[in-house]
Amino acid sequence: MRSRTAAYPLLAVLSWGMMFPILATALARVDPLNLTTARYLLAAVVLVAILLLREGAGALRPGGRAVEVVVLGAVGFAGFNLLTNLALEHAAPQQVALFVATTPVITQLVRWARDGVRPTPLLLVLSLVALLGVGLVITRGSLAGLGQFGLGGLMMIGAVIGWAVYTHGASRFGAWSPLRYSALTALAGTAALLAASVLADGIGWQHAPGAADLAAVAPQLAYAVVVGAVIAVLAWNTGVQRLGAANAALFMNLVPVTTFAVQIARGYRPEPVELAGAAITIAALVAANLVTRSRTRAPSLPRPAAVTDPVAVVAPAAVADR
């Protein structure tokens, strides 16, 4: 891989790895649902603007696939991002990042369930090893720490499954450009988030942020939108286009490494068992991606027509042009 080409996905995953600690600080002032809604309301506007510039107003029409777009947008954009922000209230950013790093493996399991593309036994074993590493980080190697898995861990399992379903759904829109798929599902997901925010604010489950609150989190929101949902996405998609999905997916394993580095720079001192767990998870995920890549390159295995290369996406909207 040429270093210049590899710089694109590297920029993306470094940006996403830094995003979790940044979003965690914003949650001190704005509720998770309202923060998610504000972020993707702005991101959707940018994506739609890019789509209009590149493909014209006709690309905004779902062409008889409105139901699929709404469901996938709600599961992917709304579900993944809301559950992730909610999990950040119950789990540390580095723990959340480790869960997100399992997305490539979970996507393989979704393909198995929906398309009958069975993963190898080795891939399943590596998946369990990766989850074991996550467990070591969360519990710090003590059974007494199992309670820390709790609600945050369950939310992240749901978030990763939702994003894997959304990512897999992109393979069923082969006639659309990935940018069109991203923009329209972003609109659907944002609409779902906006409706949920209005309802939650109305019944008192959360409180609509005031001008002072939004001003206080403006730097975090700006980073999440401009860097995390625009620049990083464009860099990621450029890397995927030039390297291929399997090669680019390997870079995603740097997301938890980046998050750990940010937390350590902020004063967090991980215990040895946490570092060991993170290393186990990352090693297992790298090995799983290598197994997947070797299978896609095997000449004796024809590729199903309706399924694209296994893709591993961390940030919503990151299925734009590949």
Side-chain angles (χ1 to χ4, degrees), residues 212-238:
D213 295 319
L214 292 176
V217 302
Q220 296 97 313
L221 195 58
Y223 180 93
V225 173
V226 177
V227 179
V230 178
I231 295 176
V233 168
L234 293 176
W236 171 258
N237 293 319
T238 302

Side-chain angles (χ1 to χ4, degrees), residues 236-272:
W236 171 258
N237 293 319
T238 302
V240 170
Q241 185 180 56
R242 297 186 182 186
L243 296 174
N247 284 328
L250 294 173
F251 287 86
M252 289 198 324
N253 300 298
L254 293 175
V255 171
V257 176
T258 304
T259 302
F260 261 89
V262 170
Q263 290 296 84
I264 291 172
R266 296 177 63 201
Y268 179 73
R269 294 295 175 261
E271 297 181 3

Side-chain angles (χ1 to χ4, degrees), residues 3 23 61 65 91 130 152 185 188 194 204 234 251 271-272 277 290 295:
S3 59
L23 287 178
R61 292 191 289 269
R65 309 191 70 176
T185 51
L194 187 59
L234 293 176
F251 287 86
E271 297 181 3
L290 289 173
R295 290 189 70 199

Side-chain angles (χ1 to χ4, degrees), residues 277-315:
I280 289 172
T281 297
I282 293 165
L285 293 172
V286 169
N289 278 317
L290 289 173
V291 169
T292 298
R293 184 173 63 174
S294 66
R295 290 189 70 199
T296 59
R297 286 183 174 181
S300 60
L301 294 176
R303 183 177 298 173
V307 182
T308 61
D309 283 339
V311 290
V313 183
V314 174

Side-chain angles (χ1 to χ4, degrees), residues 137-205:
V137 173
I138 293 176
T139 64
R140 297 184 178 181
S142 171
L143 292 178
L146 285 174
Q148 297 181 25
F149 179 85
L151 189 57
L154 293 176
M155 287 178 178
M156 283 312 302
I157 290 175
V160 171
I161 292 174
W163 187 246
V165 170
Y166 173 82
T167 300
H168 176 269
S171 66
R172 301 181 182 275
F173 285 75
W176 289 19
S177 70
L179 175 59
R180 182 185 181 191
Y181 174 77
S182 297
L184 293 190
T185 51
L187 277 177
T190 302
L193 285 168
L194 187 59
S197 290
V198 171
L199 176 62
D201 290 338
I203 64 177
W205 182 57

